[in-house]
Amino acid sequence: MDVVKEILTKIKMYQTIIIHRHQRPDPDAIGSQAGLAEILRESFPEKNIYQVGGPVEGLEFLAQMNEVSDETYKNALVIVTDTANSPRISDERYDLGAELIKIDHHPNDDPYGDLVWVNTKASSCSEIIADFYHLNQDELVLNSNAARLLYAGIIGDTGRFLYPSTTPHTLEVAAELMSFDFNPAELNRELEQIPMNVAKLAGYVYQNIEVDEQGAAKVILPQSLLDEYGIVDSDTAAIVSLPGVIDEVLAWGIFVEQPQGYYRVRLRSKGPVINELAKKHHGGGHPLASGANAKDQKEIKAIYEAIQKLCKEYKK
């Protein structure tokens, strides 16, 4: 039995299913998590299906989280979507269930769970959940809200189909999801629009970006700046892709100071592989989109020098 059928078999076995995703969620985290929950609620109305985790940080228009007690985990099946490493799972009670399933599209460096389905060729975890439905559509039901959520996850992780992860299959899946009863244009606007203070931060990024002759770029966002603009860390997600529109930029790091004093590092690339660099600094992710951490300016310097080296080698 392949892993897809094994997952469906496990879902059928359990009366209670609790679905987690990663901390600081993006549209794909919410889309895959809540999208799967919607499919299972529609397909198995007699089951108790919950989507859980911390704050959704500005994505409330996509889905809300359920509150569950520790007791609910007893004899429950737990599924985690879009989360490469177990420390990043939002709500550490994920291991209180009877069995654990991991569904993801990141490199499988941390193969936690009793069942693992990882497809690194998928554009997003939402695409994988859509595939899960298609592979079992004789037994599963996809409703309009599930389609809306999965579509949001796909356009979020593909940058509205601009990123290299977009494949012909991705577009086929997205096209079918668009045939359901929701407004894709309105959803795109909701995902795209930013508040004025974040727009001003975007201006700061363009004014203060540092780019070397190899196309390696960096921007440092100190906590004092975030306080001045009235911005929290989750708001900075909207500006991560901005350096990529600059023709001279090949790979970049955005270093966001946290209230605790360390820096959250967002790494992006148009070619050089940067996830191995991220792993060296308490992070990881995709070859061209990863995250890491830097404890101080010295570590920022080391990360940026590594980006410079990667860009130089890539251009040889």
Side-chain angles (χ1 to χ4, degrees):
M1 183 183 296
D2 64 30
V3 68
V4 176
K5 292 300 181 184
E6 286 186 73
I7 291 172
L8 182 59
T9 298
K10 293 295 183 183
I11 288 170
K12 290 178 179 178
M13 286 173 53
Y14 285 87
Q15 177 62 28
T16 299
I17 300 168
I18 305 172
I19 307 175
H20 290 246
R21 39 77 185 165
H22 63 72
Q23 302 164 2
R24 296 168 171 166
D26 55 11
D28 188 34
I30 300 294
S32 59
Q33 175 198 31
L36 176 59
E38 278 293 300
I39 291 170
L40 298 185
R41 290 188 189 107
E42 192 76 9
S43 306
F44 307 105
E46 75 284 358
K47 295 183 183 292
N48 303 312
I49 312 293
Y50 303 101
Q51 55 210 35
V52 304
V56 295
E57 301 182 347
L59 295 175
E60 293 86 359
F61 66 90
L62 286 179
Q64 302 283 343
M65 296 297 103
N66 303 129
E67 296 290 335
V68 300
S69 66
D70 290 358
E71 183 66 20
T72 308
Y73 282 84
K74 187 177 180 180
N75 298 320
L77 173 66
V78 177
I79 302 174
V80 181
T81 68
D82 196 39
T83 311
N85 307 310
S86 54
R88 289 202 68 209
I89 301 173
S90 190
D91 193 330
E92 57 190 22
R93 296 179 298 168
Y94 71 89
D95 62 352
L96 296 181
E99 290 191 85
L100 177 63
I101 296 174
K102 173 185 181 180
I103 303 176
D104 191 26
H105 69 125
H106 300 89
N108 194 28
D109 296 323
D110 181 3
Y112 61 85
D114 301 293
L115 272 176
V116 177
W117 182 19
V118 172
N119 178 9
T120 57
K121 295 180 180 180
S123 70
S124 55
C125 195
S126 293
E127 182 180 312
I128 295 175
I129 300 303
D131 288 340
F132 179 67
Y133 158 72
H134 277 291
L135 292 168
N136 298 289
Q137 58 185 321
D138 55 331
E139 299 185 75
L140 298 178
V141 180
L142 181 70
N143 62 22
S144 293
N145 193 37
R148 169 181 167 270
L149 287 160
L150 297 177
Y151 183 79
I154 290 171
I155 63 174
D157 255 29
T158 61
R160 289 156 188 79
F161 312 117
L162 290 175
Y163 300 158
S165 59
T166 305
T167 66
H169 178 67
T170 304
L171 297 177
E172 290 170 0
V173 170
E176 181 171 356
L177 294 173
M178 287 179 70
S179 69
F180 283 78
D181 186 21
F182 71 96
N183 189 327
E186 181 180 339
L187 179 59
N188 269 287
R189 284 194 297 272
E190 287 181 296
L191 290 168
E192 180 75 7
Q193 64 189 10
I194 58 175
M196 181 59 74
N197 60 343
V198 177
K200 291 180 178 179
L201 181 66
Y204 177 90
V205 169
Y206 284 132
Q207 289 286 339
N208 293 273
I209 190 168
E210 178 182 332
V211 188
D212 76 356
E213 66 277 5
Q214 302 296 334
K218 72 171 179 178
V219 179
I220 298 175
L221 304 179
Q223 186 64 50
S224 58
L225 177 76
L226 303 184
D227 292 341
E228 178 186 341
Y229 286 9
I231 282 175
V232 296
D233 177 75
S234 59
D235 296 327
T236 64
I239 55 89
V240 174
S241 62
L242 295 183
V245 304
I246 302 172
D247 58 0
E248 296 178 11
V249 173
L250 180 59
W252 63 98
I254 295 182
F255 302 85
V256 185
E257 187 175 12
Q258 304 296 301
Q260 300 90 338
Y262 73 94
Y263 292 82
R264 183 181 182 185
V265 185
R266 290 182 167 103
L267 301 172
R268 298 293 186 271
S269 172
K270 297 176 183 177
V273 173
I274 42 83
N275 58 342
E276 291 301 321
L277 168 60
K279 291 176 189 177
K280 295 177 182 177
H281 296 274
H282 311 286
H286 300 290
L288 304 182
S290 293
N293 292 284
K295 63 181 179 180
D296 51 28
Q297 290 281 341
K298 182 178 179 181
E299 190 165 2
I300 288 177
K301 184 174 183 290
I303 293 172
Y304 183 53
E305 287 176 349
I307 296 172
Q308 291 177 303
K309 183 178 179 181
L310 288 170
C311 287
K312 185 175 182 179
E313 292 174 349
Y314 184 80
K315 285 190 167 184
K316 284 182 178 179

